[in-house]
Amino acid sequence: MDYLKNSGSSLPPATPHETEAEHIDQIRIAADLLAEELTTAHPAPKGFQPTPEQQAAINGILAFCRQSGGGTFASFNGPAGSGKSTTSRLIREALMGAGYSVGLCAPTHKACQVLATACGVTKAETATFASLLGLREKKTKDEVDFVPQYGSKPRLDENDIWLADEASMMHPKLLGYIEDAADFWTKIVFIGDQAQLAPVKFGRVSPALRCTPRFDLTKVMRHDGAVLDAATAIRQTTGNTWRPRFTHSVIGDGSSIFTYSDKKEWQHAFLEMAYEHHEKDDPDAFRVIAWTNDEVERLNAAIRRHVYGRNAAPYLSGERVITHDGVKAPDDHNELIYGSSRELIILGAEQVDFLHPACADGKPFLAWELVTQTDDHEPPRQIRALDPTHAGRWEVALAGLRKEALEAGSKGRGQSAWDEYWDLRDSFAQLQPYWCLTCHKAQGSQFRNVFVQGRDMDRAAGGAAERRRLWYTALTRAQRAVHLIADQEVTD
């Protein structure tokens, strides 16, 4: 199945007489022209008239929230282009007009920013799911769980009603904690898109989006460009097919898809874009999305070399990074400074020696003391990161402590050994460059340009259904343009 050739004007692949640089320049000029025509937010237009389907959802959710008791949860589902964001804003306005206090929450800080923009409020008026419950995420190799955050408590009683966006990411364990924390009068409406990726290490649609009463939008109402057309085509594939073929660039009225002849040309394009927008400090201009952590690490390393040079220190003042897991305070591991997937700016970086009790040979780890700050302008915090040259030594030390803890546990005295293991593990923040993300980490965010490592996603485990969700989620992160390695033309 070839990608829709009539969805917009077409930009052909490079001709034999056109250089790689000339072809990329042609694509970038088209992308810049598109950027001038578009805005990043889609607020409800003045005098906007909901469709009958959208109005039924507004009326149904308003009726649900007016019930005394009658259940705590409802769900509101809709695919990309169905008007779900605009309808959510109208739902909030209708509830507030009826005298209710309405809170907004989402799984990540990036998703909170997207939700705030859609509803016309500041990010400070939103909360992450975990912070709302006074919890923090705790990941292990085999499962995801949530544990109490030191000094925090549930805040669900702050509002009568909560609109919980991007609920497709909500893990069943977190839903259980919400159920336990919600009082009899609080109402929570889970909002999401069942075609997106399932919660990490769950593998099925989040039960949050199956809560009843359930209100669904099924019709795609916004036809504003090639990206939405392609996302809809992906969502509608069946059987062993998970996406259409992308053989050429398509310039749409509201968004475009740009194709590149091979991986080298595609990579050259995002390297140039990375350098350009790094100079402008414009982090949401573009991201690269892949499936595996290995590919993310490889691409991030390539971009970092291009931007900072091969001999750059591992952490630099002014550099932007993302937390891989929760980050603890260097001197108090009970205090969580940042959750996972927080985007940070390094304000200062100093190389230090760090001697941990696990250093049985008396040789310290090479580390970096970093002063960091979020885009929300929270007060700067100091964290510690391991120098990459000592990562192998750290992993060996952790493996040894884990083995000791397992052996001690079999004898009924493993707690202190596990405490030593976690103390070493929490001594260093796990950070990565921000340019390239896995599809799971990108979920809930939006960027103007998205480069999709499609070859990586086409190899994803889980068969056609999982690959379909990966592609759909990746494409719907883009506000203006998606950049892909072209599929080969198939001739009859």
Side-chain angles (χ1 to χ4, degrees):
M1 179 169 58
D2 276 352
Y3 178 57
L4 319 166
K5 292 195 176 181
N6 337 344
S7 61
S9 60
S10 170
L11 184 67
T15 67
H17 303 292
E18 186 178 40
T19 67
E20 175 186 304
E22 288 170 340
H23 183 53
I24 290 174
D25 284 343
Q26 186 183 7
I27 288 176
R28 290 177 65 187
I29 289 168
D32 289 341
L33 288 172
L34 180 67
E36 291 174 6
E37 298 169 2
L38 300 177
T39 58
T40 59
H42 298 281
K46 200 170 183 179
F48 173 79
Q49 291 298 315
T51 66
E53 190 177 53
Q54 292 166 344
Q55 190 62 56
I58 295 168
N59 295 342
I61 290 172
L62 194 59
F64 161 74
C65 293
R66 281 176 169 156
Q67 293 176 355
S68 296
T72 301
F73 301 149
S75 60
F76 175 42
N77 296 269
S82 63
K84 184 172 76 271
S85 296
T86 300
T87 306
S88 297
R89 179 171 179 164
L90 296 177
I91 289 168
R92 176 177 177 270
E93 291 171 355
L95 290 169
M96 293 178 70
Y100 295 102
S101 61
V102 183
L104 300 171
C105 55
T108 66
H109 287 271
K110 274 286 188 184
C112 283
Q113 182 60 67
V114 173
L115 176 61
T117 301
C119 290
V121 302
T122 65
K123 182 174 175 290
E125 297 174 74
T126 68
T128 63
F129 295 158
S131 68
L132 195 60
L133 295 169
L135 300 175
R136 62 179 175 84
E137 187 175 273
K138 180 180 179 181
K139 292 181 182 178
T140 66
K141 184 177 180 181
D142 302 315
E143 63 179 356
V144 173
D145 203 352
F146 300 84
V147 296
Q149 166 58 27
Y150 182 73
S152 299
K153 61 180 182 179
R155 299 186 287 119
L156 284 172
D157 59 357
E158 289 182 357
N159 287 291
D160 303 318
I161 299 155
W162 288 92
L163 301 182
D165 199 21
E166 294 291 349
S168 61
M169 299 170 67
M170 181 170 286
H171 197 278
K173 286 188 177 180
L174 189 59
L175 181 62
Y177 290 125
I178 291 177
E179 204 163 10
D180 292 341
D183 60 33
F184 184 72
W185 304 106
T186 304
K187 303 283 188 181
I188 303 171
V189 180
F190 296 112
I191 303 168
D193 181 350
Q194 291 195 12
Q196 289 191 26
L197 287 167
V200 175
K201 298 182 180 178
F202 182 62
R204 300 184 297 282
V205 173
S206 172
L209 291 182
R210 298 200 297 265
C211 291
T212 54
R214 172 176 156 176
F215 307 92
D216 292 341
L217 300 181
T218 59
K219 298 177 181 176
V220 174
M221 305 303 300
R222 193 179 83 240
H223 297 277
D224 63 355
V227 173
L228 181 57
D229 288 345
T232 302
I234 288 168
R235 182 170 56 83
Q236 293 173 345
T237 58
T238 57
N240 292 326
T241 302
W242 57 88
R243 67 173 179 87
R245 294 176 59 79
F246 298 98
T247 56
H248 61 282
S249 296
V250 180
I251 310 300
D253 293 333
S255 62
S256 297
I257 291 179
F258 298 109
T259 59
Y260 301 82
S261 61
D262 55 30
K263 191 173 181 178
K264 181 181 176 183
E265 187 185 64
W266 174 79
Q267 185 164 302
H268 178 73
F270 71 67
L271 289 175
E272 291 303 304
M273 195 174 287
Y275 190 83
E276 174 188 349
H277 291 287
H278 167 73
E279 292 290 312
K280 296 176 180 177
D281 191 24
D282 188 6
D284 291 336
F286 94 103
R287 295 293 164 97
V288 185
I289 297 179
W291 172 52
T292 61
N293 285 313
D294 286 347
E295 184 68 0
V296 166
E297 290 176 12
R298 189 188 71 78
L299 293 173
N300 268 328
I303 298 172
R304 195 174 190 277
R305 282 196 304 271
H306 185 76
V307 171
Y308 293 115
R310 290 183 177 274
N311 300 319
Y315 302 101
L316 296 169
S317 181
E319 184 174 4
R320 189 175 289 265
V321 294
I322 290 180
T323 62
H324 192 270
D325 289 311
V327 177
K328 305 290 186 66
D331 300 320
D332 181 5
H333 293 174
N334 288 318
E335 181 188 0
L336 183 75
I337 298 179
Y338 303 118
S340 63
S341 301
R342 289 302 305 273
E343 201 162 301
L344 310 176
I345 302 166
I346 298 175
L347 304 179
E350 180 183 0
Q351 192 177 65
V352 297
D353 288 334
F354 175 68
L355 186 62
H356 189 273
C359 301
D361 56 5
K363 294 180 181 179
F365 287 107
L366 189 60
W368 290 80
E369 299 288 356
L370 307 176
V371 179
T372 57
Q373 189 173 37
T374 67
D375 280 325
D376 302 329
H377 301 295
E378 298 172 358
R381 297 300 301 266
Q382 183 168 304
I383 62 176
R384 182 190 301 118
L386 187 66
D387 191 278
T389 60
H390 279 224
R393 183 169 168 241
W394 178 67
E395 289 168 2
V396 168
L398 283 175
L401 289 174
R402 187 175 187 276
K403 182 180 178 182
E404 289 176 17
L406 291 170
E407 291 173 351
S410 65
K411 300 173 184 176
R413 45 186 176 80
Q415 186 56 52
S416 62
W418 279 117
D419 288 345
E420 290 181 30
Y421 170 85
W422 286 108
D423 186 72
L424 177 59
R425 192 178 187 278
D426 292 340
S427 291
F428 303 107
Q430 304 301 299
L431 307 173
Q432 67 179 54
Y434 78 98
W435 296 289
C436 184
L437 303 169
T438 63
C439 200
H440 280 93
K441 282 190 178 291
Q443 197 167 357
S445 303
Q446 288 189 320
F447 312 103
R448 296 198 296 281
N449 291 273
V450 171
F451 286 75
V452 179
Q453 203 338 353
R455 308 286 170 84
D456 193 41
M457 291 212 248
D458 283 341
R459 295 190 291 267
E466 181 67 7
R467 293 167 191 168
R468 186 177 301 124
R469 291 182 184 280
L470 282 165
W471 272 92
Y472 177 82
T473 301
L475 263 64
T476 52
R477 300 311 92 208
Q479 295 170 311
R480 296 179 179 174
V482 168
H483 301 255
L484 300 165
I485 303 168
D487 294 309
Q488 289 185 347
E489 293 272 9
V490 176
T491 57
D492 295 331

